[in-house]
Amino acid sequence: GEATGVALRSLSDVLNAIMRLNICEAVLSNLSFAFWPDNARAGMALLLAPLGAFRAGGQQDLSPEWLRLYLAWNANFIWPSHYCPDMMCFTMLAMPSLALGPPEQFQYRRAHTLFWVVRSTQITRRMCGAERVARAAAFGVPASEFERPPAEQQVPCFHCRQLEPRSDRQPLTSRTAKLTRAEGEVLARACGGDVGEGSGVWRRLALEVVPEQIASLTRVYSRMPKRGLAKLRLL
């Protein structure tokens, strides 16, 4: 009935808003501590492209070009900045249901994998000292590492061999970011936008996208179940 349609549109708006918030957070990260502005341009293309409304079965009108760019862009973002040593957040992108599944089912499935990435990170951070030392040892990190100040500790994670040039801390990421940027510029032009050099994309990010996402975050948070004003209820 009409009430069901209203509820479906509301849920659809929330799902699309959460996806955009997640992308915007990564774009800002790529312009700050995880500095890869080329990859950030690809993220901006994803943000500026329209996302279709969800249907009752969880399907959504989503272009194959958007899906392919998202997978490449997100993998490029995760590779140098992963926190969990199990690399689950990276390997999930290669799951057949995500990487090879139909575009109309991608975002609904991706939302589920992001939930489990969050839970994995929470579990990792809640590990007691002995568990952290044992897990770090499996990745070649000595127990003495945990005697250093927390901010200086080496987080046990997957490492790849340093490529040339050695002055580039992540040459693999830097090279692939040029490819994601190029694909992002193609997607943006197809949607009537521009994220290329001289397009004013960073001005638009600061003056339009970030304020929009802050307002969106406020709306999403107001709909979430809470135990108190600032404490969400666990689902």
Side-chain angles (χ1 to χ4, degrees), residues 83-143:
Y83 175 85
C84 301
D86 55 23
M87 283 291 286
M88 184 173 70
C89 56
F90 185 86
T91 54
M92 275 185 172
L93 293 174
M95 291 170 54
S97 60
L98 286 182
L100 302 178
E104 60 266 20
Q105 295 180 353
F106 170 76
Q107 193 182 156
Y108 184 78
R109 293 173 175 176
R110 179 58 176 153
H112 283 79
T113 64
L114 286 172
F115 170 79
W116 288 112
V117 167
V118 171
R119 294 299 291 158
S120 176
T121 302
Q122 290 173 332
I123 292 170
T124 297
R125 289 178 173 174
R126 289 175 65 87
M127 282 182 178
C128 68
E131 288 177 310
R132 292 186 68 208
V133 170
R135 190 169 188 179
F139 288 85
V141 179

Side-chain angles (χ1 to χ4, degrees), residues 50 56-58 65 67 71 75-76 104 116 123 137-138 159 162 166 195 204 232 234:
E65 293 77 17
L67 167 58
L71 291 172
N76 204 48
E104 60 266 20
W116 288 112
I123 292 170
H159 291 281
Q162 174 67 41
R166 292 190 173 274
V195 297
R204 184 172 183 181
L232 296 176
L234 295 179

Side-chain angles (χ1 to χ4, degrees), residues 77-211:
F77 173 76
I78 292 170
W79 180 259
S81 58
H82 44 262
Y83 175 85
C84 301
D86 55 23
M87 283 291 286
M88 184 173 70
C89 56
F90 185 86
T91 54
M92 275 185 172
L93 293 174
M95 291 170 54
S97 60
L98 286 182
L100 302 178
E104 60 266 20
Q105 295 180 353
F106 170 76
Q107 193 182 156
Y108 184 78
R109 293 173 175 176
R110 179 58 176 153
H112 283 79
T113 64
L114 286 172
F115 170 79
W116 288 112
V117 167
V118 171
R119 294 299 291 158
S120 176
T121 302
Q122 290 173 332
I123 292 170
T124 297
R125 289 178 173 174
R126 289 175 65 87
M127 282 182 178
C128 68
E131 288 177 310
R132 292 186 68 208
V133 170
R135 190 169 188 179
F139 288 85
V141 179
S144 59
E145 187 68 31
F146 294 94
E147 299 174 5
R148 298 159 57 115
E152 298 178 9
Q153 292 177 9
Q154 175 189 349
V155 176
C157 63
F158 180 87
H159 291 281
C160 63
R161 181 174 59 87
Q162 174 67 41
L163 302 177
E164 297 295 340
R166 292 190 173 274
S167 58
D168 188 340
R169 58 197 174 106
Q170 283 286 349
L172 182 62
T173 302
S174 299
R175 294 169 191 173
T176 52
K178 297 183 185 304
L179 300 177
T180 59
R181 170 182 173 169
E183 288 300 313
E185 291 176 353
V186 171
L187 178 65
R189 286 195 296 269
C191 298
D194 188 0
V195 297
E197 203 74 41
S199 64
V201 64
W202 305 135
R203 177 181 174 84
R204 184 172 183 181
L205 172 67
L207 299 182
E208 298 180 26
V209 174
V210 169

